Amino acid sequence: GENVEQHPSTLSVQEGDSAVIKCTYSDSASNYFPWYKQELGKRPQLIIDIRSNVGEKKDQRIAVTLNKTAKHFSLHITETQPEDSAVYFCAASIPDYGGSQGNLIFGKGTKLSVKP
Amino acid sequence: NAGVTQTPKFQVLKTGQSMTLQCAQDMNHNSMYWYRQDPGMGLRLIYYSASEGTTDKGEVPNGYNVSRLNKREFSLRLESAAPSQTSVYFCASSYTGINQPQHFGDGTRLSIL
């Protein structure tokens, strides 16, 4: 079945620097890749997603890139701010082979700390 | 719009007790999900409901049951709680289950002594 690996597990950057979080997936038929941000004690919130027909997507300081050949996708945060500090989760959809209807498999998360 | 609402927010149980976690969404979504979140483990799917009237097992279903009461509500039941079920439980919903973002509730923090 689908497996998602996420690296690094922790990341510390200085305010204003960029942060990159990488995920790999195992099933080449996966075609939807969302990213969630979870602040301490709060719910996971979708921050950006990408579908397999697109190689890159941007939303202000956040971008996601997808390399289908290598089966990996990355989250890029530029000009980091202290409020970006949170745990970030990547996910990949389970291909719809008629049973699991596109459920998500999540990575184990990256704790990002942005130091002022 | 409240989005996805979970009750209760916190609960402490004794081993062997039963309880039901409630979830309701007001976004007219068809698909609903229950996850558990443990430190270092990410989010793991317990059960899901692709549409009203259907439920299916996810990655970690043992010890749990679910009911899709109607399109809005999806409940999770622990019949005989065990300490291994101490976790944070999140309910989520999506318009459909295929390549759609999932929207999460605030979670239920459950401790089993």
Side-chain angles (χ1 to χ4, degrees), chain B residues 9-23:
Chain B
K9 295 189 184 308
F10 303 93
Q11 185 71 48
V12 178
L13 293 178
K14 295 181 180 179
T15 297
Q17 287 185 316
S18 62
M19 83 161 294
T20 300
L21 308 186
Q22 306 286 353
C23 175

Side-chain angles (χ1 to χ4, degrees), chain A residues 88-105:
Chain A
Y88 291 81
F89 293 96
C90 65
S93 63
I94 299 173
D96 184 19
Y97 296 129
S100 58
Q101 63 102 50
N103 290 339
L104 298 176
I105 294 292

Side-chain angles (χ1 to χ4, degrees), chain A:
Chain A
E2 177 68 284
N3 186 46
V4 176
E5 299 282 341
Q6 183 172 347
H7 299 280
S9 56
T10 60
L11 179 60
S12 182
V13 300
Q14 209 65 34
E15 183 177 359
D17 288 350
S18 294
V20 181
I21 302 170
K22 298 181 179 180
C23 289
T24 60
Y25 59 99
S26 58
D27 196 323
S28 58
S30 291
N31 53 18
Y32 175 64
F33 307 92
W35 285 88
Y36 287 83
K37 175 184 180 182
Q38 186 178 29
E39 297 176 355
L40 188 63
K42 300 288 183 66
R43 68 177 76 183
Q45 290 194 295
L46 179 76
I47 54 172
I48 196 166
D49 58 6
I50 191 167
R51 291 174 173 78
S52 60
N53 59 344
V54 174
E56 183 176 4
K57 185 177 179 180
K58 283 186 177 181
D59 183 3
Q60 299 182 350
R61 297 186 296 109
I62 294 172
V64 57
T65 58
L66 172 65
N67 183 326
K68 289 192 296 181
T69 302
K71 292 187 286 187
H72 68 70
F73 56 111
S74 300
L75 179 70
H76 305 254
I77 306 174
T78 59
E79 301 172 21
T80 54
Q81 302 166 4
E83 51 264 40
D84 294 329
S85 296
V87 178
Y88 291 81
F89 293 96
C90 65
S93 63
I94 299 173
D96 184 19
Y97 296 129
S100 58
Q101 63 102 50
N103 290 339
L104 298 176
I105 294 292
F106 285 83
K108 289 182 167 53
T110 296
K111 184 177 181 180
L112 174 64
S113 299
V114 180
K115 298 182 178 180

Side-chain angles (χ1 to χ4, degrees), chain B residues 1 12 32 43 46 53 74 81 95 106 109:
Chain B
N1 278 350
V12 178
M32 297 185 73
L43 291 152
I46 305 171
F74 188 39
Y95 182 63
D106 286 334
R109 284 148 186 80

